[in-house]
Amino acid sequence: MAASRSLTRFWEWGRKIICVGRNYADHAKELKNAVPTEPVLFLKPPSAYVKEGSPILVPAYSSNLHHEVELGVVIGKGGTAIPRQSAMDHVAGYALCLDMTARDTQDECKSKGLPWTLAKAFDTSCPVSEFVPKEKIPDPGNVRIWLKVNDQLRQDGSTSQMIFSIPYLISYISEIITLEEGDLILTGTPKGVSSVQEHDELQAGIEDIVSMTFRVDRH
Ligand SMILES: O=C([O-])CC(=O)C(=O)O
Ligand SMILES: [Mg+2]
């Protein structure tokens, strides 16, 4: 008999990672992007997951790897065209996530009108914390997320700054892509993204609810 799977190890399920870009106006502006009127979506494959204890690897083709700290939403109950009013019933919990981005590669993709796969979907581009049960974050629309590089605070935002709320995103995404148990939604990053180098130490947290530490390495 197959062992029953627990969502507390959602990263082992091999499900989708759906990312929302430019969901904080201050971050859209720092990269000189327009503030969107509709969510910007892209995907990472499940092979992008990395857990504490393993390093974040700088892709060989990039010399400007950026951190983006984001609140991740773990889907507990799948659905298609989920109404906004019942969207939170589909949430099992949360995880703190980094949307690691090869910014130089992304700039090149943008200028050529190409997709962001090389910039966003490489191995170790999605570091994740342990699973945080839903009850531990009663108001996910108003929590502080922060990130330090070598003990220096670089990102410090509140999810209250999101342009599109979590229920709106679940409803919007599920109109286009069926959501399944074990999927993860990355909800976008606040301002303060910056470059990381080999041997840097990244520490990030959701208030004092969860924190995680990663080292950066080169291929
Ligand atoms: O690469 C970007 O700036 C878009 C993005 O992922 C975000 O805003 O979180
Ligand atoms: Mg992002």
Side-chain angles (χ1 to χ4, degrees):
M1 204 180 76
S4 68
R5 291 186 299 181
S6 162
L7 274 181
T8 58
R9 299 179 71 83
F10 65 90
W11 56 88
E12 290 180 346
W13 283 46
R15 290 279 160 81
K16 302 182 291 295
I17 307 171
I18 303 157
C19 308
V20 181
R22 304 176 187 167
N23 199 24
Y24 289 74
D26 57 2
H27 169 64
K29 284 178 190 151
E30 76 180 339
L31 293 186
K32 306 199 167 29
N33 290 307
V35 174
T37 52
E38 255 192 90
V40 173
L41 302 183
F42 59 93
L43 296 168
K44 288 180 191 277
S47 45
Y49 280 128
V50 59
K51 293 290 301 167
E52 269 182 298
S54 296
I56 296 168
L57 298 174
V58 184
Y61 48 80
S62 176
S63 50
N64 192 15
L65 181 64
H66 273 195
H67 55 77
E68 295 189 356
V69 70
E70 312 202 358
L71 180 67
V73 178
V74 180
I75 298 298
K77 187 173 76 167
T80 304
I82 297 166
R84 216 181 306 177
Q85 295 72 16
S86 54
M88 294 311 287
D89 299 345
H90 292 256
V91 175
Y94 305 93
L96 184 64
C97 307
L98 304 184
D99 169 17
M100 297 306 297
T101 303
R103 195 69 72 197
D104 44 357
T105 310
Q106 188 192 34
D107 288 345
E108 208 176 315
C109 294
K110 281 191 206 165
S111 71
K112 292 182 180 166
L114 293 173
W116 293 355
T117 309
L118 263 63
K120 294 278 200 181
F122 53 88
D123 287 359
T124 77
S125 62
C126 193
V128 284
S129 72
E130 65 196 58
F131 175 78
V132 180
K134 191 178 187 178
E135 310 73 62
K136 281 204 170 177
I137 306 186
D139 186 2
N142 188 17
V143 282
R144 180 178 164 237
I145 51 175
W146 55 271
L147 179 139
K148 292 178 184 175
V149 180
N150 303 329
D151 265 337
Q152 289 200 326
L153 191 64
R154 295 280 178 85
Q155 292 190 269
D156 189 6
S158 166
T159 56
S160 62
Q161 300 165 291
M162 284 186 198
I163 298 169
F164 302 106
S165 69
I166 293 167
Y168 184 92
L169 290 171
I170 290 171
S171 178
Y172 179 89
I173 292 167
S174 68
E175 290 269 358
I176 306 161
I177 303 171
T178 293
L179 289 173
E180 299 165 284
E181 191 180 8
D183 283 352
L184 176 72
I185 300 173
L186 265 61
T187 55
T189 199
K191 75 167 189 289
V193 300
S194 70
S195 208
V196 296
Q197 317 295 333
E198 192 181 357
H199 307 313
D200 280 351
E201 185 179 83
L202 275 57
Q203 202 191 356
I206 304 172
E207 299 188 353
D208 54 5
I209 298 167
V210 72
S211 71
M212 62 185 190
T213 305
F214 283 89
R215 273 202 162 272
V216 180
D217 232 325
R218 261 213 173 258
H219 267 293

